């Protein structure tokens, strides 16, 4: 489907939620890469703050319409373009309420909590055993909530794969290499991840904008980050 969409993104867990949704819907779009790992912080530049006042990726322009926050982008895209209900349920149905509930679970719970777990385990300039334990334990607890749901339902909102699945998939998928979480501890979650990972649109969306790093290089980067934190003395006062 032709459109006038520009996606501002980077292949991070929040960024790929938007690109996977665009790919699943078969929309044509332009992808502008903003390297959020660069010290020049392109996401904080004046021109970009007009698109996302919060200075983070992803954000999107559809003609003159700006949309920021990954959950809002996914919702906007399915409301406007998913007329065949390929990856969403129709408003007013019980499944649509489930879809929104699980999307919010990811946006307000899993994303922020796992984001803090990643920060303290990989990127902080001090080591806090307390913070690592608090956020990694809570990430695992949230995975067990997903595990229970996926033991009773093939997808989070019901029988169909939707944006609610894309949102949590994007975060859970990277946890074996970022937080060393062994997903075989969560068999239903693992089955669900593998199924979504096999979708062609998902593989395309995970690589927007194209990354030259191989999965092995990414794993190596995370290993080095953890080793750097482990080499520090904990900052916690006991
Ligand atoms: N709640 C936001 C979070 C966005 C977010 O944290 N994006 C990260 C990349 S995953 C980012 O832009 N980080 C750079 C920064 O914080 O300046 C969303 O879901 O869109």
């Amino acid at each position: 489907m032709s459109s006038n969409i520009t996606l501002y993104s980077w292949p991070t867990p929040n960024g790929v939620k938007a690109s996977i949704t665009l790919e699943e819907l078969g929309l044509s779009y332009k992808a502008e890469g903003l390297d959020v790992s660069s010290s020049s912080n392109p996401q904080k530049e004046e021109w970009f703050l007009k698109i996302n006042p919060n200075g983070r990726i992803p954000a999107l322009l559809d003609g003159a319409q700006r949309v920021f926050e990954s959950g809002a982008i996914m919702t906007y895209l399915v409301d406007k373009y998913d007329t065949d209900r390929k990856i969403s349920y129709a408003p007013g149905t019980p499944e649509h309420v489930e879809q929104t509930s699980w999307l919010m679970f990811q946006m307000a719970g899993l994303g922020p909590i796992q984001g803090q777990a990643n920060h303290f385990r990989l990127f902080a300039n001090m080591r806090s055993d307390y913070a690592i334990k608090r956020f990694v334990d809570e990430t695992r607890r949230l995975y067990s909530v997903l595990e229970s749901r996926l033991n009773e339902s093939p997808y989070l909102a019901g029988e169909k794969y939707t944006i609610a699945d894309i949102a949590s998939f994007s975060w859970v998928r990277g946890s074996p290499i970022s937080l060393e979480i062994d997903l075989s501890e969560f068999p239903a979650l693992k089955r669900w991840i593998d199924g979504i990972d096999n979708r062609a649109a998902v593989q395309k969306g995970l690589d927007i904008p194209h990354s030259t790093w191989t999965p092995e290089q990414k794993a190596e980067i995370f290993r080095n980050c953890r080793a750097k934190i482990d080499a520090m003395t904990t900052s916690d006062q006991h």
Side-chain angles (χ1 to χ4, degrees):
M1 199 188 295
S2 72
S3 73
N4 193 12
I5 296 176
T6 303
L7 172 69
Y8 300 87
S9 194
W10 199 246
T12 68
N14 287 317
V16 300
K17 286 186 225 169
S19 44
I20 292 174
T21 304
L22 285 159
E23 295 292 341
E24 289 284 7
L25 293 175
L27 292 167
S28 66
Y29 63 100
K30 202 166 112 198
E32 291 276 349
L34 291 189
D35 181 355
V36 292
S37 65
S38 135
S39 56
S40 66
N41 281 332
Q43 73 280 14
K44 307 294 185 219
E45 286 174 18
E46 208 55 42
W47 69 269
F48 184 66
L49 294 178
K50 293 194 172 72
I51 301 170
N52 182 356
N54 195 30
R56 291 185 166 196
I57 62 94
L60 174 151
L61 278 180
D62 187 0
Q65 180 69 59
R66 76 175 185 191
V67 197
F68 57 91
E69 285 290 323
S70 55
I73 292 172
M74 300 172 97
T75 304
Y76 170 81
L77 290 173
V78 293
D79 284 353
K80 183 162 178 188
Y81 296 105
D82 194 14
T83 45
D84 297 339
R85 300 281 164 218
K86 187 181 174 214
I87 52 164
S88 62
Y89 281 103
T93 61
E95 291 90 348
H96 184 267
V97 180
E98 280 289 308
Q99 178 186 303
T100 307
S101 301
W102 286 105
L103 182 59
M104 294 302 154
F105 165 91
Q106 191 286 317
M107 289 299 294
L110 182 59
I113 292 293
Q114 192 172 330
Q116 293 305 315
N118 286 348
H119 174 78
F120 284 105
R121 191 68 192 93
L122 299 165
F123 307 121
N125 58 13
M126 54 165 224
R127 180 174 131 209
S128 168
D129 290 347
Y130 176 82
I132 291 171
K133 181 167 169 27
R134 175 177 167 81
F135 291 114
V136 175
D137 284 358
E138 180 62 0
T139 300
R140 285 177 176 280
R141 191 193 66 78
L142 292 165
Y143 282 17
S144 70
V145 175
L146 290 172
E147 174 74 7
S148 299
R149 174 61 177 161
L150 293 168
N151 265 317
E152 62 180 26
S153 170
Y155 293 103
L156 294 174
E159 296 295 315
K160 187 165 66 176
Y161 161 78
T162 67
I163 53 172
D165 299 291
I166 298 172
S168 282
F169 163 84
S170 305
W171 279 87
V172 176
R173 182 181 187 273
S175 65
I177 65 164
S178 56
L179 297 175
E180 297 180 289
I181 293 180
D182 179 1
L183 290 182
S184 60
E185 289 172 38
F186 305 95
L189 190 56
K190 169 99 174 77
R191 199 169 49 243
W192 171 85
I193 285 282
D194 291 345
I196 297 174
D197 223 6
N198 272 333
R199 298 176 70 90
V202 168
Q203 285 305 317
K204 273 184 90 175
L206 285 170
D207 195 33
I208 302 287
H210 176 62
S211 162
T212 51
W213 288 343
T214 63
E216 292 70 32
Q217 283 171 320
K218 285 185 194 164
E220 174 71 9
I221 290 168
F222 286 136
R223 254 196 310 278
N224 290 339
C225 288
R226 285 194 301 269
K228 196 170 152 202
I229 299 275
D230 287 343
M232 298 175 190
T233 312
T234 188
S235 58
D236 300 335
Q237 305 291 314
H238 296 288

